């Protein structure tokens, strides 16, 4: 997979141009308290908008304000994914390796935080207003990594694997998409995601 394809993969996850976020901080960020939903800085928004690739990929602090306690080995690149649409601010990071998207051994991981004021109960995720990573169809309720979550098979733009989402606290949703080779690590990945 070449650098252009990698950039397109990361850019495709952002439903609208991250430039729409450049107008100012969200209400969550403006509140300035530690229970606010993590939102991207202007620099992070620009990185997403420009589809900048990190080589090597970032580690546990890839998403400012989110601690990712376990990241499997084997990633060769990564990138920030940020956007805003339909009242939701998205801020995440995607890790990947050099295998083609069609390769069943491809390793990819996408962790995302969504600031959505309507997120109160797990069932609310079925109407999460995002383009990529919805739970409207075929989602099942389960407990994974110590969290009550919705989960479903990855498909379409998400690729093969397993997709998980939960409400971390009111107004804050976390989603994790792990490609098929990483599904055995999913409990550990989910358990390791922490907000301050």
């Amino acid at each position: 997979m070449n650098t252009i394809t990698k950039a397109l993969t990361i850019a495709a996850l952002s439903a609208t141009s991250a430039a729409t976020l450049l107008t100012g901080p969200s209400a969550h960020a403006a509140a300035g308290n530690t229970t606010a939903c993590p939102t991207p800085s202007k620099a992070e928004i620009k990185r997403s908008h420009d589809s900048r690739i990190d080589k090597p990929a970032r580690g546990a602090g890839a998403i400012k304000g989110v601690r990712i306690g376990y990241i499997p080995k084997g990633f060769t690149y990564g990138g920030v994914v940020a956007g805003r649409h339909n009242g939701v601010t998205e801020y995440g990071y995607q890790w990947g390796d050099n295998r083609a998207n069609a390769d069943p051994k491809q390793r990819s991981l996408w962790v995302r935080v969504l600031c959505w004021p309507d997120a109160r109960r797990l069932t609310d995720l079925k109407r999460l207003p995002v383009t990529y990573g919805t739970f409207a169809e075929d989602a099942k309720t389960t407990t994974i990594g110590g969290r009550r979550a919705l989960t479903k098979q990855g498909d379409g733009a998400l690729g093969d694997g397993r997709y998980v989402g939960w409400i971390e606290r009111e107004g804050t949703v976390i989603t994790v998409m792990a490609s098929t080779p990483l599904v055995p690590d999913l409990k550990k990945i989910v358990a390791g995601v922490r907000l301050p």
Side-chain angles (χ1 to χ4, degrees), residues 124-152:
D124 292 337
L125 294 188
K126 291 188 175 184
R127 54 186 187 82
L128 185 65
V130 295
T131 302
Y132 298 108
T134 65
F135 290 98
E137 297 177 17
D138 302 324
K140 296 185 178 12
T141 303
T142 189
T143 299
I144 184 167
R147 293 188 164 88
R148 196 75 178 144
L150 290 183
T151 185
K152 63 180 263 186

PDB file of all heavy atoms in Angstrom, residues 124-152:
ATOM      1  N   ASP A 124     -29.094   4.706  22.414  1.00  0.00           N
ATOM      2  CA  ASP A 124     -28.969   5.926  21.617  1.00  0.00           C
ATOM      3  C   ASP A 124     -27.964   5.746  20.473  1.00  0.00           C
ATOM      4  O   ASP A 124     -28.061   6.423  19.447  1.00  0.00           O
ATOM      5  CB  ASP A 124     -28.528   7.111  22.483  1.00  0.00           C
ATOM      6  CG  ASP A 124     -29.598   7.541  23.478  1.00  0.00           C
ATOM      7  OD1 ASP A 124     -30.793   7.259  23.234  1.00  0.00           O
ATOM      8  OD2 ASP A 124     -29.234   8.145  24.510  1.00  0.00           O
ATOM      9  N   LEU A 125     -27.006   4.837  20.643  1.00  0.00           N
ATOM     10  CA  LEU A 125     -25.987   4.643  19.602  1.00  0.00           C
ATOM     11  C   LEU A 125     -26.601   4.160  18.291  1.00  0.00           C
ATOM     12  O   LEU A 125     -26.009   4.343  17.226  1.00  0.00           O
ATOM     13  CB  LEU A 125     -24.914   3.656  20.059  1.00  0.00           C
ATOM     14  CG  LEU A 125     -24.033   4.091  21.227  1.00  0.00           C
ATOM     15  CD1 LEU A 125     -22.907   3.104  21.437  1.00  0.00           C
ATOM     16  CD2 LEU A 125     -23.490   5.483  21.029  1.00  0.00           C
ATOM     17  N   LYS A 126     -27.781   3.558  18.339  1.00  0.00           N
ATOM     18  CA  LYS A 126     -28.417   3.080  17.108  1.00  0.00           C
ATOM     19  C   LYS A 126     -28.870   4.233  16.223  1.00  0.00           C
ATOM     20  O   LYS A 126     -29.180   4.037  15.059  1.00  0.00           O
ATOM     21  CB  LYS A 126     -29.583   2.157  17.440  1.00  0.00           C
ATOM     22  CG  LYS A 126     -29.101   0.854  18.042  1.00  0.00           C
ATOM     23  CD  LYS A 126     -30.212  -0.139  18.203  1.00  0.00           C
ATOM     24  CE  LYS A 126     -29.633  -1.459  18.703  1.00  0.00           C
ATOM     25  NZ  LYS A 126     -30.632  -2.490  18.801  1.00  0.00           N
ATOM     26  N   ARG A 127     -28.896   5.440  16.771  1.00  0.00           N
ATOM     27  CA  ARG A 127     -29.238   6.611  15.951  1.00  0.00           C
ATOM     28  C   ARG A 127     -28.083   7.625  15.917  1.00  0.00           C
ATOM     29  O   ARG A 127     -28.283   8.793  15.619  1.00  0.00           O
ATOM     30  CB  ARG A 127     -30.544   7.250  16.430  1.00  0.00           C
ATOM     31  CG  ARG A 127     -30.601   7.602  17.865  1.00  0.00           C
ATOM     32  CD  ARG A 127     -31.996   8.104  18.300  1.00  0.00           C
ATOM     33  NE  ARG A 127     -31.927   8.576  19.656  1.00  0.00           N
ATOM     34  CZ  ARG A 127     -31.494   9.770  20.026  1.00  0.00           C
ATOM     35  NH1 ARG A 127     -31.112  10.639  19.129  1.00  0.00           N
ATOM     36  NH2 ARG A 127     -31.456  10.108  21.290  1.00  0.00           N
ATOM     37  N   LEU A 128     -26.892   7.174  16.184  1.00  0.00           N
ATOM     38  CA  LEU A 128     -25.703   8.019  16.130  1.00  0.00           C
ATOM     39  C   LEU A 128     -25.576   8.632  14.735  1.00  0.00           C
ATOM     40  O   LEU A 128     -25.485   7.911  13.737  1.00  0.00           O
ATOM     41  CB  LEU A 128     -24.464   7.170  16.447  1.00  0.00           C
ATOM     42  CG  LEU A 128     -23.120   7.858  16.551  1.00  0.00           C
ATOM     43  CD1 LEU A 128     -23.089   8.833  17.721  1.00  0.00           C
ATOM     44  CD2 LEU A 128     -22.024   6.817  16.724  1.00  0.00           C
ATOM     45  N   PRO A 129     -25.593   9.960  14.627  1.00  0.00           N
ATOM     46  CA  PRO A 129     -25.616  10.599  13.309  1.00  0.00           C
ATOM     47  C   PRO A 129     -24.234  10.758  12.678  1.00  0.00           C
ATOM     48  O   PRO A 129     -23.700  11.860  12.569  1.00  0.00           O
ATOM     49  CB  PRO A 129     -26.268  11.954  13.594  1.00  0.00           C
ATOM     50  CG  PRO A 129     -25.865  12.265  14.995  1.00  0.00           C
ATOM     51  CD  PRO A 129     -25.757  10.936  15.709  1.00  0.00           C
ATOM     52  N   VAL A 130     -23.642   9.637  12.281  1.00  0.00           N
ATOM     53  CA  VAL A 130     -22.343   9.653  11.607  1.00  0.00           C
ATOM     54  C   VAL A 130     -22.476   8.920  10.281  1.00  0.00           C
ATOM     55  O   VAL A 130     -23.407   8.148  10.070  1.00  0.00           O
ATOM     56  CB  VAL A 130     -21.235   9.003  12.470  1.00  0.00           C
ATOM     57  CG1 VAL A 130     -20.975   9.802  13.731  1.00  0.00           C
ATOM     58  CG2 VAL A 130     -21.561   7.559  12.801  1.00  0.00           C
ATOM     59  N   THR A 131     -21.525   9.146   9.411  1.00  0.00           N
ATOM     60  CA  THR A 131     -21.527   8.477   8.115  1.00  0.00           C
ATOM     61  C   THR A 131     -20.846   7.118   8.210  1.00  0.00           C
ATOM     62  O   THR A 131     -21.335   6.127   7.680  1.00  0.00           O
ATOM     63  CB  THR A 131     -20.817   9.355   7.064  1.00  0.00           C
ATOM     64  OG1 THR A 131     -21.492  10.611   7.016  1.00  0.00           O
ATOM     65  CG2 THR A 131     -20.841   8.709   5.696  1.00  0.00           C
ATOM     66  N   TYR A 132     -19.700   7.057   8.891  1.00  0.00           N
ATOM     67  CA  TYR A 132     -18.956   5.811   9.024  1.00  0.00           C
ATOM     68  C   TYR A 132     -19.069   5.307  10.451  1.00  0.00           C
ATOM     69  O   TYR A 132     -18.859   6.047  11.400  1.00  0.00           O
ATOM     70  CB  TYR A 132     -17.473   6.026   8.686  1.00  0.00           C
ATOM     71  CG  TYR A 132     -17.270   6.484   7.271  1.00  0.00           C
ATOM     72  CD1 TYR A 132     -16.893   7.786   6.991  1.00  0.00           C
ATOM     73  CD2 TYR A 132     -17.474   5.610   6.216  1.00  0.00           C
ATOM     74  CE1 TYR A 132     -16.714   8.215   5.689  1.00  0.00           C
ATOM     75  CE2 TYR A 132     -17.307   6.024   4.918  1.00  0.00           C
ATOM     76  CZ  TYR A 132     -16.931   7.327   4.653  1.00  0.00           C
ATOM     77  OH  TYR A 132     -16.757   7.744   3.359  1.00  0.00           O
ATOM     78  N   GLY A 133     -19.387   4.020  10.584  1.00  0.00           N
ATOM     79  CA  GLY A 133     -19.453   3.420  11.909  1.00  0.00           C
ATOM     80  C   GLY A 133     -20.777   3.641  12.602  1.00  0.00           C
ATOM     81  O   GLY A 133     -20.814   4.089  13.742  1.00  0.00           O
ATOM     82  N   THR A 134     -21.867   3.297  11.933  1.00  0.00           N
ATOM     83  CA  THR A 134     -23.185   3.380  12.555  1.00  0.00           C
ATOM     84  C   THR A 134     -23.520   2.038  13.213  1.00  0.00           C
ATOM     85  O   THR A 134     -22.910   1.013  12.911  1.00  0.00           O
ATOM     86  CB  THR A 134     -24.279   3.719  11.532  1.00  0.00           C
ATOM     87  OG1 THR A 134     -24.392   2.640  10.603  1.00  0.00           O
ATOM     88  CG2 THR A 134     -23.967   5.018  10.799  1.00  0.00           C
ATOM     89  N   PHE A 135     -24.490   2.064  14.092  1.00  0.00           N
ATOM     90  CA  PHE A 135     -24.962   0.849  14.761  1.00  0.00           C
ATOM     91  C   PHE A 135     -26.430   0.574  14.426  1.00  0.00           C
ATOM     92  O   PHE A 135     -27.097  -0.161  15.120  1.00  0.00           O
ATOM     93  CB  PHE A 135     -24.811   0.980  16.282  1.00  0.00           C
ATOM     94  CG  PHE A 135     -23.382   0.962  16.726  1.00  0.00           C
ATOM     95  CD1 PHE A 135     -22.711   2.139  16.981  1.00  0.00           C
ATOM     96  CD2 PHE A 135     -22.702  -0.237  16.892  1.00  0.00           C
ATOM     97  CE1 PHE A 135     -21.388   2.129  17.393  1.00  0.00           C
ATOM     98  CE2 PHE A 135     -21.382  -0.258  17.295  1.00  0.00           C
ATOM     99  CZ  PHE A 135     -20.716   0.929  17.554  1.00  0.00           C
ATOM    100  N   ALA A 136     -26.931   1.189  13.364  1.00  0.00           N
ATOM    101  CA  ALA A 136     -28.359   1.097  13.042  1.00  0.00           C
ATOM    102  C   ALA A 136     -28.801  -0.325  12.721  1.00  0.00           C
ATOM    103  O   ALA A 136     -29.925  -0.705  13.028  1.00  0.00           O
ATOM    104  CB  ALA A 136     -28.689   2.038  11.886  1.00  0.00           C
ATOM    105  N   GLU A 137     -27.955  -1.114  12.100  1.00  0.00           N
ATOM    106  CA  GLU A 137     -28.338  -2.473  11.701  1.00  0.00           C
ATOM    107  C   GLU A 137     -27.401  -3.513  12.297  1.00  0.00           C
ATOM    108  O   GLU A 137     -26.202  -3.299  12.391  1.00  0.00           O
ATOM    109  CB  GLU A 137     -28.307  -2.590  10.179  1.00  0.00           C
ATOM    110  CG  GLU A 137     -29.302  -1.674   9.490  1.00  0.00           C
ATOM    111  CD  GLU A 137     -29.188  -1.762   7.979  1.00  0.00           C
ATOM    112  OE1 GLU A 137     -28.591  -2.728   7.474  1.00  0.00           O
ATOM    113  OE2 GLU A 137     -29.692  -0.853   7.312  1.00  0.00           O
ATOM    114  N   ASP A 138     -27.975  -4.634  12.681  1.00  0.00           N
ATOM    115  CA  ASP A 138     -27.223  -5.823  13.111  1.00  0.00           C
ATOM    116  C   ASP A 138     -26.365  -5.648  14.359  1.00  0.00           C
ATOM    117  O   ASP A 138     -25.507  -6.477  14.644  1.00  0.00           O
ATOM    118  CB  ASP A 138     -26.327  -6.346  11.978  1.00  0.00           C
ATOM    119  CG  ASP A 138     -27.124  -6.697  10.733  1.00  0.00           C
ATOM    120  OD1 ASP A 138     -28.256  -7.188  10.892  1.00  0.00           O
ATOM    121  OD2 ASP A 138     -26.625  -6.464   9.624  1.00  0.00           O
ATOM    122  N   ALA A 139     -26.552  -4.583  15.117  1.00  0.00           N
ATOM    123  CA  ALA A 139     -25.767  -4.388  16.338  1.00  0.00           C
ATOM    124  C   ALA A 139     -26.348  -5.228  17.469  1.00  0.00           C
ATOM    125  O   ALA A 139     -27.559  -5.351  17.595  1.00  0.00           O
ATOM    126  CB  ALA A 139     -25.747  -2.915  16.725  1.00  0.00           C
ATOM    127  N   LYS A 140     -25.474  -5.786  18.274  1.00  0.00           N
ATOM    128  CA  LYS A 140     -25.886  -6.592  19.417  1.00  0.00           C
ATOM    129  C   LYS A 140     -25.298  -5.994  20.692  1.00  0.00           C
ATOM    130  O   LYS A 140     -24.188  -5.478  20.683  1.00  0.00           O
ATOM    131  CB  LYS A 140     -25.421  -8.032  19.248  1.00  0.00           C
ATOM    132  CG  LYS A 140     -26.071  -8.733  18.056  1.00  0.00           C
ATOM    133  CD  LYS A 140     -25.674 -10.183  18.013  1.00  0.00           C
ATOM    134  CE  LYS A 140     -26.311 -10.985  16.902  1.00  0.00           C
ATOM    135  NZ  LYS A 140     -26.998 -10.356  15.867  1.00  0.00           N
ATOM    136  N   THR A 141     -26.027  -6.107  21.786  1.00  0.00           N
ATOM    137  CA  THR A 141     -25.544  -5.636  23.078  1.00  0.00           C
ATOM    138  C   THR A 141     -24.716  -6.734  23.721  1.00  0.00           C
ATOM    139  O   THR A 141     -25.096  -7.904  23.727  1.00  0.00           O
ATOM    140  CB  THR A 141     -26.728  -5.256  23.987  1.00  0.00           C
ATOM    141  OG1 THR A 141     -27.513  -4.271  23.323  1.00  0.00           O
ATOM    142  CG2 THR A 141     -26.251  -4.710  25.318  1.00  0.00           C
ATOM    143  N   THR A 142     -23.566  -6.356  24.274  1.00  0.00           N
ATOM    144  CA  THR A 142     -22.685  -7.316  24.917  1.00  0.00           C
ATOM    145  C   THR A 142     -21.854  -6.600  25.973  1.00  0.00           C
ATOM    146  O   THR A 142     -21.891  -5.380  26.091  1.00  0.00           O
ATOM    147  CB  THR A 142     -21.753  -7.985  23.878  1.00  0.00           C
ATOM    148  OG1 THR A 142     -21.050  -9.058  24.485  1.00  0.00           O
ATOM    149  CG2 THR A 142     -20.763  -6.993  23.292  1.00  0.00           C
ATOM    150  N   THR A 143     -21.103  -7.356  26.748  1.00  0.00           N
ATOM    151  CA  THR A 143     -20.107  -6.787  27.644  1.00  0.00           C
ATOM    152  C   THR A 143     -18.745  -7.207  27.114  1.00  0.00           C
ATOM    153  O   THR A 143     -18.492  -8.390  26.893  1.00  0.00           O
ATOM    154  CB  THR A 143     -20.303  -7.282  29.089  1.00  0.00           C
ATOM    155  OG1 THR A 143     -21.595  -6.871  29.530  1.00  0.00           O
ATOM    156  CG2 THR A 143     -19.252  -6.696  30.012  1.00  0.00           C
ATOM    157  N   ILE A 144     -17.892  -6.221  26.885  1.00  0.00           N
ATOM    158  CA  ILE A 144     -16.553  -6.483  26.357  1.00  0.00           C
ATOM    159  C   ILE A 144     -15.574  -5.543  27.041  1.00  0.00           C
ATOM    160  O   ILE A 144     -15.840  -4.353  27.178  1.00  0.00           O
ATOM    161  CB  ILE A 144     -16.509  -6.338  24.815  1.00  0.00           C
ATOM    162  CG1 ILE A 144     -15.129  -6.709  24.282  1.00  0.00           C
ATOM    163  CG2 ILE A 144     -16.945  -4.966  24.368  1.00  0.00           C
ATOM    164  CD1 ILE A 144     -15.075  -6.904  22.784  1.00  0.00           C
ATOM    165  N   GLY A 145     -14.467  -6.090  27.497  1.00  0.00           N
ATOM    166  CA  GLY A 145     -13.468  -5.272  28.174  1.00  0.00           C
ATOM    167  C   GLY A 145     -14.022  -4.552  29.387  1.00  0.00           C
ATOM    168  O   GLY A 145     -13.577  -3.463  29.726  1.00  0.00           O
ATOM    169  N   GLY A 146     -15.031  -5.142  30.041  1.00  0.00           N
ATOM    170  CA  GLY A 146     -15.634  -4.551  31.229  1.00  0.00           C
ATOM    171  C   GLY A 146     -16.643  -3.453  30.938  1.00  0.00           C
ATOM    172  O   GLY A 146     -17.114  -2.784  31.858  1.00  0.00           O
ATOM    173  N   ARG A 147     -16.999  -3.271  29.669  1.00  0.00           N
ATOM    174  CA  ARG A 147     -17.953  -2.225  29.297  1.00  0.00           C
ATOM    175  C   ARG A 147     -19.180  -2.830  28.634  1.00  0.00           C
ATOM    176  O   ARG A 147     -19.072  -3.741  27.822  1.00  0.00           O
ATOM    177  CB  ARG A 147     -17.294  -1.241  28.338  1.00  0.00           C
ATOM    178  CG  ARG A 147     -16.185  -0.439  29.004  1.00  0.00           C
ATOM    179  CD  ARG A 147     -15.710   0.637  28.054  1.00  0.00           C
ATOM    180  NE  ARG A 147     -14.943   1.632  28.761  1.00  0.00           N
ATOM    181  CZ  ARG A 147     -13.649   1.556  28.965  1.00  0.00           C
ATOM    182  NH1 ARG A 147     -12.967   0.520  28.545  1.00  0.00           N
ATOM    183  NH2 ARG A 147     -13.020   2.534  29.600  1.00  0.00           N
ATOM    184  N   ARG A 148     -20.329  -2.258  28.950  1.00  0.00           N
ATOM    185  CA  ARG A 148     -21.563  -2.613  28.253  1.00  0.00           C
ATOM    186  C   ARG A 148     -21.521  -1.872  26.924  1.00  0.00           C
ATOM    187  O   ARG A 148     -21.374  -0.647  26.891  1.00  0.00           O
ATOM    188  CB  ARG A 148     -22.770  -2.188  29.092  1.00  0.00           C
ATOM    189  CG  ARG A 148     -24.033  -2.831  28.673  1.00  0.00           C
ATOM    190  CD  ARG A 148     -24.044  -4.284  29.142  1.00  0.00           C
ATOM    191  NE  ARG A 148     -25.312  -4.905  28.778  1.00  0.00           N
ATOM    192  CZ  ARG A 148     -25.438  -6.140  28.400  1.00  0.00           C
ATOM    193  NH1 ARG A 148     -24.374  -6.917  28.348  1.00  0.00           N
ATOM    194  NH2 ARG A 148     -26.608  -6.642  28.093  1.00  0.00           N
ATOM    195  N   ALA A 149     -21.621  -2.600  25.809  1.00  0.00           N
ATOM    196  CA  ALA A 149     -21.377  -2.001  24.502  1.00  0.00           C
ATOM    197  C   ALA A 149     -22.278  -2.599  23.436  1.00  0.00           C
ATOM    198  O   ALA A 149     -22.859  -3.670  23.619  1.00  0.00           O
ATOM    199  CB  ALA A 149     -19.912  -2.214  24.108  1.00  0.00           C
ATOM    200  N   LEU A 150     -22.368  -1.885  22.321  1.00  0.00           N
ATOM    201  CA  LEU A 150     -22.944  -2.437  21.101  1.00  0.00           C
ATOM    202  C   LEU A 150     -21.784  -2.923  20.255  1.00  0.00           C
ATOM    203  O   LEU A 150     -20.708  -2.309  20.239  1.00  0.00           O
ATOM    204  CB  LEU A 150     -23.731  -1.381  20.326  1.00  0.00           C
ATOM    205  CG  LEU A 150     -25.038  -0.907  20.931  1.00  0.00           C
ATOM    206  CD1 LEU A 150     -25.725   0.092  19.989  1.00  0.00           C
ATOM    207  CD2 LEU A 150     -25.980  -2.060  21.236  1.00  0.00           C
ATOM    208  N   THR A 151     -22.003  -4.023  19.549  1.00  0.00           N
ATOM    209  CA  THR A 151     -20.958  -4.564  18.694  1.00  0.00           C
ATOM    210  C   THR A 151     -21.580  -5.109  17.423  1.00  0.00           C
ATOM    211  O   THR A 151     -22.739  -5.506  17.411  1.00  0.00           O
ATOM    212  CB  THR A 151     -20.143  -5.653  19.425  1.00  0.00           C
ATOM    213  OG1 THR A 151     -19.064  -6.075  18.598  1.00  0.00           O
ATOM    214  CG2 THR A 151     -20.994  -6.835  19.809  1.00  0.00           C
ATOM    215  N   LYS A 152     -20.800  -5.079  16.359  1.00  0.00           N
ATOM    216  CA  LYS A 152     -21.256  -5.631  15.084  1.00  0.00           C
ATOM    217  C   LYS A 152     -20.059  -5.968  14.223  1.00  0.00           C
ATOM    218  O   LYS A 152     -18.935  -5.511  14.488  1.00  0.00           O
ATOM    219  CB  LYS A 152     -22.180  -4.659  14.358  1.00  0.00           C
ATOM    220  CG  LYS A 152     -21.523  -3.347  13.966  1.00  0.00           C
ATOM    221  CD  LYS A 152     -22.488  -2.414  13.256  1.00  0.00           C
ATOM    222  CE  LYS A 152     -22.328  -2.519  11.774  1.00  0.00           C
ATOM    223  NZ  LYS A 152     -23.120  -1.565  11.010  1.00  0.00           N
TER     224      LYS A 152
END
